[in-house]
Amino acid sequence: LEMFSLGSWLPPLPGLAWGWALLDALLQGLVGACAVSVLCSLLKVYLYTQCLNDPGRQAEAGALRVQRRGLELLRVAVLTGVLAMVGSRVAALVVLEFSLRAISTLLSLGKGSHSSQLYLLCQYSLGCGLSCSLSFLLEGAPHSTCNLGLAAGLAGLLATYARRLAGHVCTLYELHSRARYCGVCLLLLASGHGLPRLLRAALGLTFAVAGLAAVALINRDFLSTAEAVRFWTPLTICYTLLVVYMQGEKQNTQIWGRRQSVYQIVLVRMGGLFILLLTVGRWADVLHVLVSLLGEFWCLLHAGVMLESCRRQ
């Protein structure tokens, strides 16, 4: 049977096994990519309705109204492949880094306020978080592939309906809200301002579970407490310095507002993780950091219009 297995004919790749493990990795990546798609669709709905309420932001509403179905499907497909290639260790580190940065950002904001830009910056980390959670929760399960298939089907269904909602709102919300015609548009007109709170609660729960799963996935590779301490000590120092750097950048509003600063921050984050893993990680982890860098850029590239709208908001 082994000579007919998929893994015996294909070359080994770091962090990516062939056969059923490859299918599991792709399904986990698909769930994460669909979650990112849902997040972007709901945030697009919120930003679009806010732009329509401000006469000076009609140009932004026109930019958000542009629908590119082919590009959306391409984004999901590429992000699925990237998340499938990234190993669980690097995905876990990305989740922990963003969680610390998000907590620091939320503590620095005033009570009841929110940062729409933070929702866009968490896209890739959200995909990694769901991948880590599924990997941890389904580890050793007898029917994990079937469970992942059901999860991917549900995630795809939610992403499809969220994308249709965004398309409906961007096409007909202005007309339906004036004519008091559509129930969905009327609901958004009455309570659309609560979308950020809904996203905040959902993301908070997701990253709480993902953080616990990330710590468990990292610790399972250590054979002793001393080995774990040698890894966690430089990691803690690195993440602390990164959080301090992010807060310093955010206080400079002129730099923080520019789009290139978002890419610069991604380079600094991944650069710090790259250097850290060169000293305490494995060579496969270093490759996965480079893949993660591409994933971060891919998510931000397709959210350029919404990032600009968040900046002006």
Side-chain angles (χ1 to χ4, degrees):
L1 291 178
E2 228 172 273
M3 66 179 298
F4 295 104
S5 66
L6 184 61
S8 63
W9 291 93
L10 296 173
L13 290 178
L16 188 63
W18 301 107
W20 288 111
L22 173 60
L23 180 59
D24 289 350
L26 288 173
L27 289 174
Q28 288 178 9
L30 180 59
V31 172
C34 289
V36 173
S37 179
V38 171
L39 172 65
C40 291
S41 296
L42 293 180
L43 193 58
K44 185 176 184 179
V45 168
Y46 170 73
L47 292 174
Y48 182 78
T49 55
Q50 293 301 305
C51 288
L52 289 182
N53 295 331
D54 187 351
R57 300 176 64 188
Q58 298 304 310
E60 295 177 45
L64 290 170
R65 195 180 296 117
V66 177
Q67 301 289 326
R68 296 186 178 93
R69 177 178 172 82
L71 287 180
E72 176 65 23
L73 295 177
L74 177 64
R75 181 175 75 165
V76 172
V78 173
L79 189 56
T80 298
V82 170
L83 292 173
M85 292 179 63
V86 174
S88 59
R89 278 165 59 91
V90 172
L93 293 175
V94 170
V95 169
L96 293 177
E97 186 273 331
F98 178 80
S99 299
L100 291 175
R101 186 158 50 95
I103 291 172
S104 175
T105 301
L106 293 176
L107 289 177
S108 65
L109 294 173
K111 183 179 180 181
S113 60
H114 67 275
S115 174
S116 299
Q117 192 179 48
L118 186 63
Y119 300 143
L120 290 173
L121 297 180
C122 81
Q123 293 179 76
Y124 182 73
S125 302
L126 174 62
C128 289
L130 284 173
S131 181
C132 285
S133 300
L134 290 172
S135 178
F136 175 72
L137 294 174
L138 296 178
E139 186 175 15
H143 304 291
S144 59
T145 302
C146 295
N147 295 330
L148 285 172
L150 292 174
L154 178 60
L157 190 64
L158 291 175
T160 300
Y161 277 108
R163 188 169 62 247
R164 288 180 180 177
L165 173 64
H168 174 84
V169 170
C170 292
T171 305
L172 298 171
Y173 175 79
E174 190 172 8
L175 173 64
H176 287 174
S177 60
R178 287 201 308 263
R180 300 293 193 270
Y181 175 72
C182 173
V184 173
C185 295
L186 289 178
L187 179 62
L188 288 173
L189 182 64
S191 57
H193 60 277
L195 267 177
R197 288 196 298 271
L198 175 64
L199 292 176
R200 188 186 218 175
L203 290 174
L205 178 61
T206 301
F207 278 102
V209 175
L212 296 175
V215 173
L217 289 175
I218 293 175
N219 283 335
R220 72 179 180 183
D221 293 331
F222 300 131
L223 300 177
S224 64
T225 304
E227 187 179 353
V229 170
R230 283 196 299 269
F231 181 84
W232 282 106
T233 300
L235 180 68
T236 303
I237 296 173
C238 178
Y239 280 0
T240 302
L241 293 177
L242 281 175
V243 169
V244 172
Y245 173 80
M246 300 305 163
Q247 289 299 318
E249 283 294 301
K250 200 177 75 167
Q251 288 175 2
N252 189 342
T253 56
Q254 184 177 3
I255 295 179
W256 178 257
R258 297 175 184 171
R259 184 185 299 181
Q260 58 265 29
S261 71
V262 176
Y263 295 95
Q264 177 186 352
I265 288 173
V266 171
L267 284 173
V268 171
R269 289 170 45 220
M270 291 300 168
L273 193 56
F274 181 85
I275 295 173
L276 174 69
L277 291 177
L278 278 177
T279 57
V280 297
R282 306 164 182 168
W283 70 272
D285 295 336
V286 175
L287 293 179
H288 294 157
V289 171
L290 298 178
V291 175
S292 295
L293 179 62
L294 295 178
E296 289 272 13
F297 282 160
W298 180 255
C299 291
L300 294 177
L301 181 65
H302 288 271
V305 176
M306 289 192 288
L307 278 172
E308 185 66 19
S309 180
C310 290
R311 185 187 68 83
R312 294 185 179 182
Q313 188 183 31

